[in-house]
Amino acid sequence: MMKNWLKRSCNLILCVAIASCISLSILLGSFFAGVQPVHAKLTDDTYDGNIFALYGGNGSIVPPRISLAQSLELGRAAMVVFYVDDSADCKRFSPILNLAQGFYGKTISLIAVSVDSLDLQKKNYEPTEEAYYFKGTVPQTVLISGDGKVSFDREGVFGFEELDSAIRNLLGLPDAPAELKFRKTDKVINELNP
């Protein structure tokens, strides 16, 4: 008699557990039914997350390790890049910055500045502040020598070859020989990396 009671109790507990799982599945299914999957797109102006990690393959670019003031104090050349995470142009430009960091990261300070972090109401910036150089368009790339002279200021997306040439000019390096020229970066290989 005790065995029958124990057997019926276990069966009842099992039925309640199965019913609970089914109810939870139905509840979660109806809750998540209206949720759309998230897709990152290189070609639109939507926020997808850190563009340097997602599209450039290098999330270590932000936050910058050094400020412009610190770089100039050390007499070190700097590349200041203004960007926003929800710009298709900035998304397409992020792999170029990744290449620049790979080749010149130990020679120049790469300072990626999110425009969203700037106080654009302030009117008088000092030349040691990144916002002093911002013109209102992203992406914008500014190369500044260790003594504070601007040698390159370009708005928009452009290829690594142009940036490489400008950095070499800033550092007083000869132009890369033809056999060492980089592949063209204005052709897209896939959606994530040019």
Side-chain angles (χ1 to χ4, degrees):
M1 183 156 221
M2 187 66 143
K3 286 184 180 182
N4 280 343
W5 178 81
L6 188 58
K7 190 174 181 182
R8 276 187 263 157
S9 295
C10 287
N11 285 340
L12 181 63
I13 290 172
L14 183 62
C15 288
V16 169
I18 291 172
S20 296
C21 288
I22 292 171
S23 297
L24 184 61
S25 296
I26 291 170
L27 179 67
L28 289 175
S30 65
F31 179 73
F32 288 111
V35 176
Q36 297 295 320
V38 177
H39 297 286
K41 274 189 123 173
L42 181 65
T43 56
D44 65 16
D45 291 329
T46 59
Y47 176 74
D48 300 325
N50 178 337
I51 61 172
F52 299 109
L54 193 59
Y55 299 106
N58 185 354
S60 72
I61 291 177
V62 289
R65 293 188 177 113
I66 190 169
S67 70
L68 179 59
Q70 293 167 327
S71 186
L72 293 174
E73 189 176 301
L74 294 171
R76 185 177 168 137
M79 176 170 52
V80 179
V81 179
F82 297 99
Y83 75 96
V84 290
D85 281 316
D86 57 354
S87 161
D89 288 342
C90 292
K91 291 175 187 180
R92 284 193 303 273
F93 193 59
S94 61
I96 305 301
L97 297 180
N98 187 41
L99 282 172
Q101 184 191 40
F103 284 105
Y104 299 106
K106 297 203 184 286
T107 311
I108 64 173
S109 302
L110 174 55
I111 305 167
V113 179
S114 172
V115 172
D116 295 333
S117 70
L118 299 177
D119 178 7
L120 299 177
Q121 301 303 317
K122 184 178 172 181
K123 297 297 179 202
N124 297 322
Y125 286 101
E126 297 295 319
T128 57
E129 297 176 275
E130 293 86 354
Y132 178 83
Y133 302 95
F134 183 57
K135 292 181 178 175
T137 304
V138 291
Q140 179 189 348
T141 307
V142 184
L143 293 177
I144 304 166
S145 68
D147 59 356
K149 293 184 178 117
V150 174
S151 67
F152 181 83
D153 189 346
R154 180 99 182 326
E155 298 172 49
V157 179
F158 54 92
F160 182 71
E161 296 76 22
E162 184 177 346
L163 183 58
D164 179 62
S165 180
I167 293 172
R168 287 174 171 276
N169 185 40
L170 172 69
L171 299 175
L173 299 173
D175 194 25
E179 65 272 8
L180 297 179
K181 287 285 184 183
F182 306 99
R183 66 177 170 80
K184 291 289 184 194
T185 54
D186 56 353
K187 263 178 141 174
V188 174
I189 293 174
N190 63 35
E191 184 177 353
L192 296 179
N193 296 302

